Amino acid sequence: QVQVKESGGGSVQAGEALVLSCKVSGTTKDDYHAMGWFRQAPGKNGEGVSCISWPGDETYYADSVKGRFTISRDNADDTVYLQMNSLKPEDTATYYCATENGCSYYRSGIYGVGFRGEGTQVTVSS
């Protein structure tokens, strides 16, 4: 059974940085998943934040995080990272990691369709 576990959330001041990690377990050698991060804040629509293909040669970033966030992955360790710099209060949300069918879906607003974790909270204060 595939399990996804996020970590690295926390409370920071605006302008600071955080690194989120996502560990995937239970996959087989034939499971070549794209991986993505999406977020959900109370009272707001969810947003597909970033996605990376299995080889790592294709990435997607929402306009709201472009230039500030960087996604990467270590397939040998089955871990995906989200480096978040210059954090803003509007980045406050629960961040989820999920296996995805492909990053092209993020461009259409489709995300979180595969196995997902329970989320990690990011709070940015001004």
Side-chain angles (χ1 to χ4, degrees):
Q1 182 178 351
V2 177
Q3 292 185 321
V4 177
K5 177 66 174 176
E6 305 94 339
S7 61
S11 296
V12 297
Q13 297 288 318
E16 294 184 341
L18 279 174
V19 180
L20 303 184
S21 299
C22 172
K23 178 72 174 178
V24 183
S25 60
T27 58
T28 69
K29 292 296 183 183
D30 294 328
D31 293 331
Y32 302 130
H33 296 289
M35 295 295 300
W37 290 94
F38 63 97
R39 63 189 180 186
Q40 180 67 58
K44 295 185 178 180
N45 291 330
E47 181 180 28
V49 173
S50 185
C51 181
I52 187 168
S53 63
W54 189 86
D57 57 351
E58 178 188 1
T59 57
Y60 166 86
Y61 297 97
D63 287 342
S64 59
V65 306
K66 209 170 284 184
R68 299 188 297 122
F69 290 12
T70 303
I71 192 169
S72 62
R73 67 188 298 164
D74 180 348
N75 288 338
D77 195 36
D78 292 324
T79 303
V80 179
Y81 303 96
L82 187 67
Q83 173 75 48
M84 306 187 296
N85 297 331
S86 303
L87 283 161
K88 304 175 181 180
E90 50 264 44
D91 294 318
T92 295
T94 301
Y95 285 71
Y96 299 88
C97 177
T99 63
E100 304 288 3
N101 292 330
C103 293
S104 60
Y105 292 95
Y106 270 59
R107 297 180 178 85
S108 301
I110 301 170
Y111 51 83
V113 299
F115 298 98
R116 65 172 69 177
E118 296 182 351
T120 186
Q121 178 66 36
V122 172
T123 302
V124 185
S125 54
S126 58

